[in-house]
């Protein structure tokens, strides 16, 4: 330290400033780093003392009192899912631009593991946690998990890509309702009425919202469909394949199918081909996510895109703002767009 107190030869330390200001050394550090998370009266008192003693901390001293790890923990339901892998990579790049590193935890869709992983991230002293999938996707929040998170967020800010009722988590959600609206508007504009929606569980908030919009638009247009046109299931290839085969073997023939994601869509396409249906001449297929898989299948998938770079940027920007104590909206939404590929066309018999 190169500031001196009165006639004493001993340099003034950050702890001297803290003691005289009646605050912690960490609070003095936050003022020195221009953090907004310090009360106005305390900030003014500290600044007066810094000026009084001409206090200038050296780099090593700043490191000793800075308790931040510059690390953000990210927990995903299953990083093998292209949606999560694309979003994680975008978050990692956005964090690096801000001088942060990220620590990935994968729950493998095992909800019992989520509390354990949260504890491990806390032990690693991450500055914030982002959770994608798992408990935060549930329509009805698990009370025990919410209480656990509520206790944890007293010390660490947490962001979720779904919701956790009763907690202080920041929510950054895909606008699921808007995403289904643009798909339905597009397909009905192509003359489709017999539109199936396959895959996804009703107790997952985004799927639930999509189904609500799907049924509403059909009702508004006076379209009545059999029960098989809406089939719940998982988010993988076998689900799409089985649902498509079940519908066709029961004699139901949609002109368009909305698959819950690309993995399910590829299964839908396989089932359609086994029944000698051409895509898109005989049946159109639309999916969600628009990851690299959309480019790998033939024909190229039409799908809803989330702009992963912007999604990751918003997650990390919000996490850093929360770390800095800045005021944030509790809920922010990611708008979506439809990327038209080669799996959709006009319904048979329409000009």
């Amino acid at each position: 330290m190169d500031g001196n107190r009165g006639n004493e030869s001993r340099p003034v330390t950050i702890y001297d400033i803290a003691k005289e200001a009646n605050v912690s050394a960490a609070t003095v550090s936050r003022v020195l780093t221009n953090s907004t998370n310090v009360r106005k009266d305390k900030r003014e008192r500290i600044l007066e003392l810094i000026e009084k003693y001409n206090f200038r901390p050296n780099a090593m001293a700043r490191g000793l009192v800075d308790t931040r790890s510059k690390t953000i923990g990210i927990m995903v339901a299953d990083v093998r899912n292209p949606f999560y892998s694309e979003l994680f990579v975008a978050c990692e790049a956005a964090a690096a631009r801000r001088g942060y590193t990220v620590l990935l935890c994968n729950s493998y869709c095992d909800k019992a593991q989520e509390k354990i992983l949260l504890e491990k991230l806390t032990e690693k002293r991450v500055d914030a946690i982002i959770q994608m999938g798992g408990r935060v996707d549930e329509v009805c929040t698990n009370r025990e998990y919410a209480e656990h998170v509520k206790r944890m967020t007293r010390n660490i800010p947490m962001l979720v890509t779904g919701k956790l009722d009763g907690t202080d988590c920041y929510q950054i959600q895909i606008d699921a309702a808007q995403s289904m609206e643009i798909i339905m508007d597009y397909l009905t504009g192509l003359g489709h009425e017999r539109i199936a929606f396959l895959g996804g569980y009703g107790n997952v908030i985004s799927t639930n919202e999509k189904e609500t919009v799907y049924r509403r638009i059909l009702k508004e247009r006076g379209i009545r469909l059999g029960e098989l046109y809406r089939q719940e299931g998982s988010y993988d290839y076998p689900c799409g394949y089985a649902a498509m085969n079940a519908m066709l073997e029961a004699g139901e023939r949609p002109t368009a199918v909305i698959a819950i994601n690309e993995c399910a869509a590829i299964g839908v396409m396989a089932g359609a081909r086994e029944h000698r249906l051409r895509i898109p001449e005989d049946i159109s297929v639309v999916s969600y996510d628009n990851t690299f898989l959309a480019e790998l299948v033939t024909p190229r998938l039409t799908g809803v895109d989330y702009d992963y770079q912007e999604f990751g940027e918003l997650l990390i920007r919000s996490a850093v703002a929360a770390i800095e104590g800045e005021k944030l909206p509790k809920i922010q939404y990611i708008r979506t767009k439809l990327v038209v590929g080669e799996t959709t066309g006009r319904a048979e018999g329409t000009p």
Side-chain angles (χ1 to χ4, degrees):
M1 315 293 178
D2 58 8
N4 289 326
R5 182 172 47 184
N7 295 320
E8 296 178 13
S9 59
R10 182 176 68 82
V12 172
T13 70
I14 198 169
Y15 300 101
D16 295 324
I17 298 289
K19 182 178 181 180
E20 191 166 339
N22 196 28
V23 298
S24 67
T27 301
V28 177
S29 176
R30 286 197 291 272
V31 171
L32 290 168
T33 56
N34 204 29
S35 170
T36 58
N37 194 24
V38 178
R39 216 169 63 200
K40 184 179 177 181
D41 60 328
K42 289 183 178 180
R43 178 183 295 277
E44 291 176 350
R45 191 159 68 245
I46 292 167
L47 289 172
E48 287 175 2
L49 290 170
I50 288 172
E51 184 177 358
K52 175 182 176 181
Y53 296 121
N54 191 28
F55 176 70
R56 298 291 184 271
N58 61 38
M60 182 176 292
R62 281 197 298 269
L64 290 172
V65 296
D66 190 354
T67 59
R68 294 180 189 167
S69 65
K70 301 292 284 187
T71 303
I72 297 171
I74 300 179
M75 179 167 63
V76 303
D78 192 343
V79 77
R80 295 170 298 182
N81 183 322
F83 167 78
Y84 292 120
S85 58
E86 291 251 8
L87 187 52
F88 171 76
V89 169
C91 286
E92 187 174 36
R97 288 193 292 271
R98 291 167 171 79
Y100 278 79
T101 57
V102 292
L103 182 60
L104 173 66
C105 287
N106 197 21
S107 70
Y108 293 103
C109 299
D110 182 353
K111 293 178 181 177
Q113 279 291 310
E114 292 177 30
K115 284 173 62 176
I116 296 172
L117 293 176
L118 286 180
E119 293 296 338
K120 289 185 180 297
L121 288 172
T122 304
E123 289 170 6
K124 295 292 184 182
R125 301 182 66 82
V126 297
D127 297 327
I129 294 174
I130 298 171
Q131 181 170 356
M132 308 172 186
R135 292 286 187 192
V136 303
D137 279 349
E138 296 175 336
V139 171
C140 297
T141 295
N142 179 278
R143 186 174 299 177
E144 181 185 356
Y145 188 71
E147 284 299 318
H148 182 79
V149 169
K150 190 175 180 180
R151 290 191 295 271
M152 189 199 73
T153 52
R154 291 171 186 161
N155 301 308
I156 303 174
M158 183 165 170
L159 296 83
V160 299
T161 57
K163 70 178 181 68
L164 274 176
D165 295 332
T167 71
D168 292 326
C169 292
Y170 299 99
Q171 303 173 26
I172 299 180
Q173 300 179 12
I174 293 168
D175 194 334
Q178 180 249 352
S179 71
M180 180 57 83
E181 285 172 354
I182 62 175
I183 288 180
M184 292 296 284
D185 287 346
Y186 173 67
L187 291 176
T188 54
L190 291 174
H192 294 283
E193 291 191 350
R194 299 196 307 276
I195 303 169
F197 177 31
L198 306 180
Y201 296 113
N203 63 350
V204 171
I205 185 169
S206 60
T207 302
N208 183 278
E209 291 176 0
K210 291 168 186 172
E211 181 174 351
T212 299
V213 172
Y214 166 77
R215 292 190 182 278
R216 173 177 60 78
I217 292 175
L218 289 178
K219 185 177 180 180
E220 288 172 353
R221 293 179 178 271
I223 301 171
R224 295 184 179 182
L225 299 173
E227 290 184 7
L228 286 174
Y229 278 76
R230 171 64 188 122
Q231 293 186 56
E232 288 195 7
S234 60
Y235 299 79
D236 54 21
Y237 175 98
C239 163
Y241 178 76
M244 190 66 189
N245 281 328
M247 187 164 45
L248 294 174
E249 288 166 9
E252 299 284 7
R253 167 72 189 283
T255 62
V257 174
I258 303 168
I260 194 62
N261 65 7
E262 290 167 333
C263 295
I266 296 170
V268 165
M269 293 168 69
R273 288 184 176 122
E274 284 189 10
H275 287 80
R276 301 181 183 278
L277 295 176
R278 298 168 300 162
I279 302 168
E281 292 85 358
D282 300 321
I283 188 168
S284 291
V285 179
V286 183
S287 75
Y288 281 89
D289 295 356
N290 196 42
T291 70
F292 64 89
L293 287 181
E295 299 287 342
L296 298 181
V297 297
T298 304
R300 183 167 51 86
L301 270 168
T302 293
V304 171
D305 182 83
Y306 308 128
D307 191 344
Y308 292 96
Q309 296 306 311
E310 178 55 32
F311 197 169
E313 175 71 21
L314 180 58
L315 280 166
I316 296 300
R317 186 169 68 241
S318 299
V320 173
I323 292 166
E324 297 288 346
E326 297 176 16
K327 189 173 182 180
L328 278 173
K330 281 298 179 182
I331 304 177
Q332 299 178 75
Y333 288 98
I334 296 291
R335 298 286 287 179
T336 67
K337 66 179 180 180
L338 188 68
V339 177
V340 177
E342 302 164 346
T343 57
T344 48
R346 298 198 68 82
E348 290 179 292
T350 59

